[in-house]
């Protein structure tokens, strides 16, 4: 007896969501997303029981990192360095651009700059964490102290970036609300709820 062939649905009958319906969905997702100051914990180097010696690894840098948060967590966090959540913001700006919102160029620039800034902070934090771990292992107090100062500075930079991200999200949500209100006034979509 042969197993039944899998049923493949005909996806050609599906219609994409109208832009305003997609904008409403993106607005809800962006509003619900969290901005968490996690301290970029994924860059932390794991240590042995003595709290100083980095756990060895076969990786090129020779240490074990804490690792990324699970994907479901990152999907809901706008501030994670390794997230796709900010892509929703970029998509929303694209829909606003299609609606010819004058706020779009500034929003595009801010999202791009902030995304790059978070990436730079993440890399600097990773470098500082590695330098600190290796200095602890090697007993180099001067390098250890300098790396600890860099870790603290990247923490402050990340906190400032999150404040800017929160302000950006507020401005983006306001632009989305303006567009949705225009569309509702023109009879394009009904209010949610």
């Amino acid at each position: 007896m042969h197993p039944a062939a899998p049923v493949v649905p005909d996806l050609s009958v599906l219609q994409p969501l109208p832009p305003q319906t997609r904008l409403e969905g993106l607005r809800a997702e962006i509003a619900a997303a969290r901005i968490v100051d996690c301290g970029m914990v994924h860059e932390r180097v794991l240590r042995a029981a003595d709290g100083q010696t980095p756990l060895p690894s076969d990786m090129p840098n020779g240490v074990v990192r804490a690792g990324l948060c699970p994907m479901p967590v990152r999907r809901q966090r706008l501030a994670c360095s390794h997230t796709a959540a900010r892509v929703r913001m970029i998509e929303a700006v694209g829909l606003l651009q299609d609606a010819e919102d004058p706020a779009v160029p500034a929003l595009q620039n801010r999202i791009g700059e902030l995304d790059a800034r978070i990436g730079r902070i993440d890399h600097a934090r990773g470098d500082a964490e590695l330098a600190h771990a290796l200095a602890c292992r090697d007993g180099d107090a001067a390098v250890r102290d300098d790396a600890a100062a860099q870790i603290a500075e990247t923490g402050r930079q990340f906190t400032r970036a999150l404040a800017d991200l929160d302000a950006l999200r507020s401005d983006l949500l306001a632009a989305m609300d303006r567009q949705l209100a225009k569309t509702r006034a023109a009879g394009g979509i009904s209010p949610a709820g």
Side-chain angles (χ1 to χ4, degrees):
M1 183 167 176
H2 297 287
V7 176
V8 178
D10 179 8
L11 300 179
S12 67
V13 298
L14 298 177
Q15 298 295 317
L17 291 175
Q20 297 311 314
T21 304
R22 181 64 186 142
L23 190 62
E24 284 182 311
L26 285 169
R27 194 222 179 276
E29 291 176 33
I30 293 166
R34 299 186 63 212
I35 297 175
V36 176
D37 193 342
C38 64
M40 295 174 285
V41 70
H42 68 281
E43 294 293 351
R44 191 180 78 233
V45 173
L46 301 182
R47 311 292 176 115
D50 66 8
Q52 294 296 311
T53 307
L55 293 178
S57 166
D58 292 336
M59 299 299 290
N61 62 21
V63 299
V64 178
R65 303 270 186 178
L68 298 175
C69 292
M71 182 58 81
V73 171
R74 287 184 282 141
R75 265 192 214 112
Q76 297 303 314
R77 291 191 176 173
L78 290 172
C80 288
S81 303
H82 305 273
T83 186
R86 285 188 302 278
V87 171
R88 293 182 204 126
M89 296 174 80
I90 295 166
E91 183 180 351
V93 168
L95 291 173
L96 292 174
Q97 185 173 23
D98 293 345
E100 299 179 10
D101 186 303
V104 166
L107 290 169
Q108 281 177 322
N109 289 340
R110 287 171 65 195
I111 289 171
E113 188 281 329
L114 195 52
D115 194 53
R117 187 166 130 209
I118 290 171
R120 286 190 306 270
I121 294 167
D122 176 66
H123 286 281
R125 178 59 169 259
D127 292 345
E129 291 278 357
L130 178 60
H132 186 269
L134 297 178
C136 286
R137 181 195 67 198
D138 299 341
D140 189 335
V143 172
R144 181 197 64 216
D145 294 347
D146 182 56
Q150 290 175 28
I151 290 168
E153 177 56 26
T154 58
R156 289 187 292 275
Q157 291 172 357
F158 190 60
T159 298
R160 287 191 300 269
L162 299 189
D164 292 346
L165 180 59
D166 191 41
L168 171 59
R169 175 173 57 179
S170 293
D171 293 347
L172 177 58
L173 291 173
M176 295 169 85
D177 289 342
R178 285 191 304 273
Q179 180 56 40
L180 290 168
K182 282 183 196 174
T183 304
R184 284 186 190 105
I189 54 175
S190 359

